[in-house]
Amino acid sequence: MGTGGVGDGAVKAHAERAAGMRRSEIRVLFDAAARAGDDVIRLEVGEPSFTTPAHVIDAAARAAHDGHTGYGPNGGLASLRELLSDKLRRVNGIEAPPDEIVVTPGAMNGLYSLYLALLDPGDEVLLPTPGFPNMDEMVRLLGGRPVFYQLAAREGFLPDVAALDELVTDRTKILFINTPANPTGAVYPSRLMEGLVELAARRDLWLVCDEVYDEMVLSPGRVHTAAAPLDADGRVVTVCSFSKVYAMTGWRVGYVAAPAELAEVLRTHQEPLVSCPSTISQKAAEAALTGPRAPYDAMLDAYRRRRAVALEAAEAAGLRAVPPDGTLYMLVDVSDAGLDDLDFALGLLRSHSVSVAPGSVFGPAGRGWARISLAAESEAIAEGLRRLAKALHEQEAERIGIGS
């Protein structure tokens, strides 16, 4: 076998662009917690704690028995896109006909296809921090340049439009936003969304909106406002998913609503990237949209109760937490530990059997925070926060003692 000129007969293991990719610290904690055994309180996992509702599973089984086991269209089944057009109109206020909707194997694939379609090497993407960590890795992988914009806790982790404006250069191509937001739980008010859409139009940017938590608003009186209905010139792209709202993470069904020309490019990308989304999973998604709402209402009620428990437990333990208005996460301040976030999280796991997501994984502004998930049961959330507070106070006392 030829060696391609690589020394000692070894074939080079990867391309240069792959060499710099970092493994998510959330996955580091996930794997470490799994090895630690069943007694660990798992607060690091960003996944619903509920099983996919029975009517969805039954629909998928029927679809398989009925022969829906072959390839489907690159951009998704017409029947599902019709239902999604109705859902987007009814829930998000977005008018998107089926030919402007592309079904993808999860929202991550949809975002990857978007960046592939929109970015040339060296183009810049404005990304939030704290923000979902896969975004900057994805941009780098495709030759783009991530530029972070800061979300401050004192401002409710909402972006400052004027500060964003100052970051725009002649290489800026995309402004990426996420609301309801992971990991902050922020739900952007309508006035802010109007300002973001106006900024994108004035500076000629694409506005990519990750709205996978669109129906997971936890705070009374809060409402999720989609950006697309505010868009007058076809520059807003909306990315959604069945994973979190419908407890379907493993089914891998996401979807993108985009202007018709861009949607056609995304459909074309699907062929070399993934061929097509899973037909059986799409039939399951159809059942999620047309079946009873009661299971999803019950899930949302549970997350709202857990949010209340988490805030009460954090206050009782003397922790600073930022109340989340949406999603299934809450940020807790662990800066008093004086440790690297990953080191604190691994120490918390070893000493107190609690697993959390280190804030540093969410970008520069995530440092000094830990993300906890509301996917655990209320008792586990309360006990996990008590243990986290104990570990934080122990570490703070040790640090002060060493420094005295």
Side-chain angles (χ1 to χ4, degrees):
M1 179 182 291
T3 63
V6 180
D8 299 324
V11 177
K12 189 174 182 180
H14 46 64
E16 290 299 326
R17 64 179 174 274
M21 287 192 67
R22 299 165 295 180
R23 186 166 185 242
S24 169
E25 292 175 354
I26 299 175
R27 284 291 177 178
V28 173
L29 265 297
F30 184 94
D31 292 346
R35 291 192 300 269
D38 295 335
D39 294 334
V40 173
I41 296 177
R42 302 290 296 270
L43 301 182
E44 90 285 0
V45 183
E47 179 170 24
S49 54
F50 302 98
T51 303
T52 303
H55 72 275
V56 176
I57 297 171
D58 291 344
R62 283 195 304 273
H65 285 298
D66 290 345
H68 295 284
T69 56
Y71 291 122
N74 291 137
L77 299 174
S79 53
L80 176 56
R81 288 185 289 114
E82 288 279 1
L83 291 170
L84 287 171
S85 180
D86 177 69
K87 178 268 176 184
L88 287 167
R89 182 183 308 110
R90 176 171 40 84
V91 175
N92 307 81
I94 298 173
E95 295 292 337
D99 67 344
E100 294 183 2
I101 298 170
V102 181
V103 182
T104 61
M108 291 305 302
N109 175 261
L111 286 163
Y112 186 89
S113 290
L114 272 173
Y115 289 133
L116 184 63
L118 298 177
L119 291 179
D120 288 316
D123 283 347
E124 296 174 351
V125 181
L126 299 178
L127 298 173
T129 177
F132 189 54
N134 286 351
M135 288 302 97
D136 54 308
E137 290 298 327
M138 192 181 297
V139 170
R140 289 190 186 96
L141 186 63
L142 292 171
R145 179 173 176 261
V147 177
F148 287 112
Y149 60 90
Q150 303 283 316
L151 304 176
R154 64 181 177 276
E155 303 296 337
F157 291 115
L158 299 176
D160 183 310
V161 176
L164 271 170
D165 196 7
E166 293 180 359
L167 293 175
V168 178
T169 72
D170 58 0
R171 294 309 306 266
T172 308
K173 181 69 71 69
I174 298 170
L175 168 58
F176 172 86
I177 64 173
N178 170 215
T179 177
N182 175 12
T184 67
V187 177
Y188 294 7
S190 58
R191 287 287 297 274
L192 174 58
M193 294 298 274
E194 290 170 2
L196 293 168
V197 172
E198 187 277 331
L199 170 66
R202 179 164 45 82
R203 302 305 297 265
D204 194 22
L205 307 176
W206 284 97
L207 181 58
V208 174
C209 304
D210 179 341
E211 300 182 23
V212 301
Y213 297 94
D214 56 354
E215 298 183 70
M216 296 184 70
V217 177
L218 307 181
S219 294
R222 287 287 189 185
V223 177
H224 168 61
T225 300
L230 308 171
D231 177 27
D233 54 3
R235 65 181 62 253
V236 172
V237 184
T238 305
V239 181
C240 294
S241 172
F242 283 81
S243 289
K244 306 303 171 75
V245 173
Y246 298 95
M248 293 178 65
T249 53
W251 298 84
R252 309 311 304 137
V253 186
Y255 53 102
V256 179
E261 184 178 354
L262 178 56
E264 179 57 30
V265 174
L266 298 179
R267 279 191 289 273
T268 303
H269 282 175
Q270 296 268 79
E271 177 62 29
L273 287 176
V274 295
S275 181
C276 61
S278 161
T279 305
I280 296 173
S281 291
Q282 290 181 82
K283 286 297 181 183
E286 290 179 5
L289 292 172
T290 59
R293 288 293 308 178
Y296 310 114
D297 293 339
M299 292 179 201
L300 186 57
D301 286 344
Y303 292 132
R304 287 170 173 165
R305 290 194 300 271
R306 292 172 187 178
R307 172 188 183 271
V309 167
L311 290 172
E312 183 179 344
E315 182 179 10
L319 293 170
R320 180 195 178 205
V322 180
D325 288 325
T327 75
L328 44 81
Y329 310 110
M330 185 174 79
L331 287 180
V332 178
D333 187 347
V334 296
S335 58
D336 285 345
L339 290 175
D340 173 83
D341 294 343
L342 180 58
D343 290 341
F344 175 77
L346 290 171
L348 177 67
L349 175 60
R350 285 192 301 268
S351 301
H352 296 277
S353 297
V354 178
S355 182
V356 298
S360 54
V361 75
F362 303 108
R367 297 190 184 284
W369 298 90
R371 188 195 74 177
I372 71 158
S373 170
L374 305 180
E377 296 295 335
S378 295
E379 296 80 5
I381 292 171
E383 178 59 25
L385 286 169
R386 284 191 287 269
R387 295 184 192 181
L388 187 152
K390 185 173 186 294
L392 187 61
H393 296 150
E394 289 171 351
Q395 190 60 46
E396 184 181 10
E398 180 179 338
R399 179 171 58 83
I400 294 172
I402 291 173
S404 61

PDB file of all heavy atoms in Angstrom, residues 128-148:
ATOM      1  N   PRO A 128     -22.787  35.054  19.437  1.00  0.00           N
ATOM      2  CA  PRO A 128     -22.949  35.478  20.829  1.00  0.00           C
ATOM      3  C   PRO A 128     -22.078  34.680  21.778  1.00  0.00           C
ATOM      4  O   PRO A 128     -21.800  33.503  21.555  1.00  0.00           O
ATOM      5  CB  PRO A 128     -24.431  35.197  21.103  1.00  0.00           C
ATOM      6  CG  PRO A 128     -24.750  34.030  20.204  1.00  0.00           C
ATOM      7  CD  PRO A 128     -23.920  34.236  18.960  1.00  0.00           C
ATOM      8  N   THR A 129     -21.657  35.338  22.850  1.00  0.00           N
ATOM      9  CA  THR A 129     -21.023  34.641  23.958  1.00  0.00           C
ATOM     10  C   THR A 129     -21.545  35.251  25.257  1.00  0.00           C
ATOM     11  O   THR A 129     -21.533  36.484  25.390  1.00  0.00           O
ATOM     12  CB  THR A 129     -19.482  34.718  23.902  1.00  0.00           C
ATOM     13  OG1 THR A 129     -18.935  34.073  25.068  1.00  0.00           O
ATOM     14  CG2 THR A 129     -18.951  36.142  23.850  1.00  0.00           C
ATOM     15  N   PRO A 130     -22.078  34.436  26.197  1.00  0.00           N
ATOM     16  CA  PRO A 130     -22.186  32.984  26.129  1.00  0.00           C
ATOM     17  C   PRO A 130     -23.122  32.540  24.998  1.00  0.00           C
ATOM     18  O   PRO A 130     -24.183  33.126  24.797  1.00  0.00           O
ATOM     19  CB  PRO A 130     -22.769  32.599  27.491  1.00  0.00           C
ATOM     20  CG  PRO A 130     -22.561  33.783  28.378  1.00  0.00           C
ATOM     21  CD  PRO A 130     -22.607  34.968  27.468  1.00  0.00           C
ATOM     22  N   GLY A 131     -22.702  31.481  24.305  1.00  0.00           N
ATOM     23  CA  GLY A 131     -23.500  30.963  23.210  1.00  0.00           C
ATOM     24  C   GLY A 131     -23.188  29.504  22.962  1.00  0.00           C
ATOM     25  O   GLY A 131     -22.212  28.955  23.498  1.00  0.00           O
ATOM     26  N   PHE A 132     -24.001  28.888  22.125  1.00  0.00           N
ATOM     27  CA  PHE A 132     -23.852  27.460  21.857  1.00  0.00           C
ATOM     28  C   PHE A 132     -22.488  27.183  21.222  1.00  0.00           C
ATOM     29  O   PHE A 132     -22.143  27.791  20.209  1.00  0.00           O
ATOM     30  CB  PHE A 132     -24.978  26.993  20.943  1.00  0.00           C
ATOM     31  CG  PHE A 132     -25.051  25.506  20.771  1.00  0.00           C
ATOM     32  CD1 PHE A 132     -25.122  24.671  21.867  1.00  0.00           C
ATOM     33  CD2 PHE A 132     -25.036  24.946  19.506  1.00  0.00           C
ATOM     34  CE1 PHE A 132     -25.189  23.298  21.709  1.00  0.00           C
ATOM     35  CE2 PHE A 132     -25.107  23.571  19.333  1.00  0.00           C
ATOM     36  CZ  PHE A 132     -25.183  22.744  20.437  1.00  0.00           C
ATOM     37  N   PRO A 133     -21.684  26.271  21.773  1.00  0.00           N
ATOM     38  CA  PRO A 133     -20.274  26.150  21.387  1.00  0.00           C
ATOM     39  C   PRO A 133     -20.024  25.621  19.990  1.00  0.00           C
ATOM     40  O   PRO A 133     -18.984  25.902  19.404  1.00  0.00           O
ATOM     41  CB  PRO A 133     -19.699  25.196  22.444  1.00  0.00           C
ATOM     42  CG  PRO A 133     -20.873  24.411  22.930  1.00  0.00           C
ATOM     43  CD  PRO A 133     -22.020  25.365  22.884  1.00  0.00           C
ATOM     44  N   ASN A 134     -20.940  24.853  19.419  1.00  0.00           N
ATOM     45  CA  ASN A 134     -20.665  24.282  18.110  1.00  0.00           C
ATOM     46  C   ASN A 134     -20.609  25.333  17.001  1.00  0.00           C
ATOM     47  O   ASN A 134     -20.096  25.056  15.915  1.00  0.00           O
ATOM     48  CB  ASN A 134     -21.730  23.237  17.746  1.00  0.00           C
ATOM     49  CG  ASN A 134     -21.567  21.948  18.526  1.00  0.00           C
ATOM     50  OD1 ASN A 134     -20.578  21.767  19.217  1.00  0.00           O
ATOM     51  ND2 ASN A 134     -22.527  21.073  18.429  1.00  0.00           N
ATOM     52  N   MET A 135     -21.129  26.523  17.262  1.00  0.00           N
ATOM     53  CA  MET A 135     -21.200  27.524  16.202  1.00  0.00           C
ATOM     54  C   MET A 135     -19.820  27.977  15.752  1.00  0.00           C
ATOM     55  O   MET A 135     -19.533  28.036  14.549  1.00  0.00           O
ATOM     56  CB  MET A 135     -22.005  28.743  16.673  1.00  0.00           C
ATOM     57  CG  MET A 135     -23.496  28.512  16.809  1.00  0.00           C
ATOM     58  SD  MET A 135     -24.300  27.962  15.285  1.00  0.00           S
ATOM     59  CE  MET A 135     -24.334  26.194  15.568  1.00  0.00           C
ATOM     60  N   ASP A 136     -18.947  28.354  16.675  1.00  0.00           N
ATOM     61  CA  ASP A 136     -17.645  28.871  16.246  1.00  0.00           C
ATOM     62  C   ASP A 136     -16.796  27.790  15.615  1.00  0.00           C
ATOM     63  O   ASP A 136     -16.065  28.032  14.652  1.00  0.00           O
ATOM     64  CB  ASP A 136     -16.910  29.576  17.400  1.00  0.00           C
ATOM     65  CG  ASP A 136     -16.755  28.720  18.635  1.00  0.00           C
ATOM     66  OD1 ASP A 136     -17.773  28.181  19.112  1.00  0.00           O
ATOM     67  OD2 ASP A 136     -15.632  28.613  19.142  1.00  0.00           O
ATOM     68  N   GLU A 137     -16.900  26.539  16.122  1.00  0.00           N
ATOM     69  CA  GLU A 137     -16.154  25.449  15.496  1.00  0.00           C
ATOM     70  C   GLU A 137     -16.632  25.226  14.065  1.00  0.00           C
ATOM     71  O   GLU A 137     -15.842  24.969  13.148  1.00  0.00           O
ATOM     72  CB  GLU A 137     -16.322  24.164  16.314  1.00  0.00           C
ATOM     73  CG  GLU A 137     -15.623  24.184  17.659  1.00  0.00           C
ATOM     74  CD  GLU A 137     -14.107  24.323  17.534  1.00  0.00           C
ATOM     75  OE1 GLU A 137     -13.536  23.809  16.555  1.00  0.00           O
ATOM     76  OE2 GLU A 137     -13.506  24.973  18.403  1.00  0.00           O
ATOM     77  N   MET A 138     -17.931  25.313  13.849  1.00  0.00           N
ATOM     78  CA  MET A 138     -18.508  25.109  12.523  1.00  0.00           C
ATOM     79  C   MET A 138     -18.024  26.190  11.549  1.00  0.00           C
ATOM     80  O   MET A 138     -17.648  25.900  10.412  1.00  0.00           O
ATOM     81  CB  MET A 138     -20.025  25.117  12.632  1.00  0.00           C
ATOM     82  CG  MET A 138     -20.755  24.647  11.398  1.00  0.00           C
ATOM     83  SD  MET A 138     -22.551  24.745  11.641  1.00  0.00           S
ATOM     84  CE  MET A 138     -22.804  23.587  12.969  1.00  0.00           C
ATOM     85  N   VAL A 139     -18.035  27.436  12.010  1.00  0.00           N
ATOM     86  CA  VAL A 139     -17.586  28.541  11.164  1.00  0.00           C
ATOM     87  C   VAL A 139     -16.120  28.362  10.791  1.00  0.00           C
ATOM     88  O   VAL A 139     -15.729  28.532   9.626  1.00  0.00           O
ATOM     89  CB  VAL A 139     -17.828  29.885  11.873  1.00  0.00           C
ATOM     90  CG1 VAL A 139     -17.153  31.034  11.127  1.00  0.00           C
ATOM     91  CG2 VAL A 139     -19.324  30.153  12.004  1.00  0.00           C
ATOM     92  N   ARG A 140     -15.292  28.005  11.764  1.00  0.00           N
ATOM     93  CA  ARG A 140     -13.858  27.808  11.487  1.00  0.00           C
ATOM     94  C   ARG A 140     -13.652  26.670  10.492  1.00  0.00           C
ATOM     95  O   ARG A 140     -12.812  26.759   9.590  1.00  0.00           O
ATOM     96  CB  ARG A 140     -13.107  27.512  12.782  1.00  0.00           C
ATOM     97  CG  ARG A 140     -12.967  28.687  13.732  1.00  0.00           C
ATOM     98  CD  ARG A 140     -12.006  28.352  14.855  1.00  0.00           C
ATOM     99  NE  ARG A 140     -11.974  29.409  15.856  1.00  0.00           N
ATOM    100  CZ  ARG A 140     -12.687  29.400  16.975  1.00  0.00           C
ATOM    101  NH1 ARG A 140     -13.483  28.368  17.243  1.00  0.00           N
ATOM    102  NH2 ARG A 140     -12.613  30.392  17.832  1.00  0.00           N
ATOM    103  N   LEU A 141     -14.381  25.588  10.686  1.00  0.00           N
ATOM    104  CA  LEU A 141     -14.232  24.419   9.828  1.00  0.00           C
ATOM    105  C   LEU A 141     -14.488  24.771   8.367  1.00  0.00           C
ATOM    106  O   LEU A 141     -13.869  24.208   7.460  1.00  0.00           O
ATOM    107  CB  LEU A 141     -15.199  23.322  10.283  1.00  0.00           C
ATOM    108  CG  LEU A 141     -15.100  21.962   9.583  1.00  0.00           C
ATOM    109  CD1 LEU A 141     -13.739  21.328   9.827  1.00  0.00           C
ATOM    110  CD2 LEU A 141     -16.205  21.034  10.078  1.00  0.00           C
ATOM    111  N   LEU A 142     -15.393  25.729   8.128  1.00  0.00           N
ATOM    112  CA  LEU A 142     -15.743  26.108   6.768  1.00  0.00           C
ATOM    113  C   LEU A 142     -14.959  27.315   6.266  1.00  0.00           C
ATOM    114  O   LEU A 142     -15.296  27.895   5.237  1.00  0.00           O
ATOM    115  CB  LEU A 142     -17.248  26.381   6.688  1.00  0.00           C
ATOM    116  CG  LEU A 142     -18.114  25.130   6.868  1.00  0.00           C
ATOM    117  CD1 LEU A 142     -19.581  25.493   7.009  1.00  0.00           C
ATOM    118  CD2 LEU A 142     -17.923  24.177   5.698  1.00  0.00           C
ATOM    119  N   GLY A 143     -13.912  27.697   6.997  1.00  0.00           N
ATOM    120  CA  GLY A 143     -13.027  28.755   6.531  1.00  0.00           C
ATOM    121  C   GLY A 143     -13.451  30.150   6.924  1.00  0.00           C
ATOM    122  O   GLY A 143     -12.822  31.135   6.508  1.00  0.00           O
ATOM    123  N   GLY A 144     -14.521  30.258   7.727  1.00  0.00           N
ATOM    124  CA  GLY A 144     -14.956  31.567   8.186  1.00  0.00           C
ATOM    125  C   GLY A 144     -14.226  31.993   9.445  1.00  0.00           C
ATOM    126  O   GLY A 144     -13.447  31.242  10.030  1.00  0.00           O
ATOM    127  N   ARG A 145     -14.511  33.211   9.885  1.00  0.00           N
ATOM    128  CA  ARG A 145     -13.878  33.750  11.091  1.00  0.00           C
ATOM    129  C   ARG A 145     -14.950  34.125  12.092  1.00  0.00           C
ATOM    130  O   ARG A 145     -15.756  35.023  11.846  1.00  0.00           O
ATOM    131  CB  ARG A 145     -13.037  34.977  10.744  1.00  0.00           C
ATOM    132  CG  ARG A 145     -12.370  35.619  11.969  1.00  0.00           C
ATOM    133  CD  ARG A 145     -11.415  36.719  11.571  1.00  0.00           C
ATOM    134  NE  ARG A 145     -10.885  37.362  12.770  1.00  0.00           N
ATOM    135  CZ  ARG A 145     -11.343  38.513  13.275  1.00  0.00           C
ATOM    136  NH1 ARG A 145     -12.336  39.152  12.670  1.00  0.00           N
ATOM    137  NH2 ARG A 145     -10.802  39.021  14.366  1.00  0.00           N
ATOM    138  N   PRO A 146     -14.989  33.434  13.249  1.00  0.00           N
ATOM    139  CA  PRO A 146     -15.952  33.809  14.288  1.00  0.00           C
ATOM    140  C   PRO A 146     -15.534  35.114  14.967  1.00  0.00           C
ATOM    141  O   PRO A 146     -14.365  35.286  15.325  1.00  0.00           O
ATOM    142  CB  PRO A 146     -15.886  32.641  15.283  1.00  0.00           C
ATOM    143  CG  PRO A 146     -15.041  31.596  14.644  1.00  0.00           C
ATOM    144  CD  PRO A 146     -14.192  32.266  13.634  1.00  0.00           C
ATOM    145  N   VAL A 147     -16.489  36.014  15.133  1.00  0.00           N
ATOM    146  CA  VAL A 147     -16.272  37.253  15.886  1.00  0.00           C
ATOM    147  C   VAL A 147     -17.331  37.287  16.980  1.00  0.00           C
ATOM    148  O   VAL A 147     -18.529  37.339  16.698  1.00  0.00           O
ATOM    149  CB  VAL A 147     -16.390  38.496  14.978  1.00  0.00           C
ATOM    150  CG1 VAL A 147     -16.244  39.768  15.802  1.00  0.00           C
ATOM    151  CG2 VAL A 147     -15.347  38.447  13.866  1.00  0.00           C
ATOM    152  N   PHE A 148     -16.894  37.245  18.230  1.00  0.00           N
ATOM    153  CA  PHE A 148     -17.837  37.156  19.344  1.00  0.00           C
ATOM    154  C   PHE A 148     -18.395  38.524  19.727  1.00  0.00           C
ATOM    155  O   PHE A 148     -17.665  39.523  19.755  1.00  0.00           O
ATOM    156  CB  PHE A 148     -17.173  36.554  20.571  1.00  0.00           C
ATOM    157  CG  PHE A 148     -16.909  35.075  20.457  1.00  0.00           C
ATOM    158  CD1 PHE A 148     -15.605  34.593  20.386  1.00  0.00           C
ATOM    159  CD2 PHE A 148     -17.957  34.167  20.427  1.00  0.00           C
ATOM    160  CE1 PHE A 148     -15.367  33.233  20.284  1.00  0.00           C
ATOM    161  CE2 PHE A 148     -17.716  32.807  20.328  1.00  0.00           C
ATOM    162  CZ  PHE A 148     -16.425  32.339  20.258  1.00  0.00           C
TER     163      PHE A 148
END
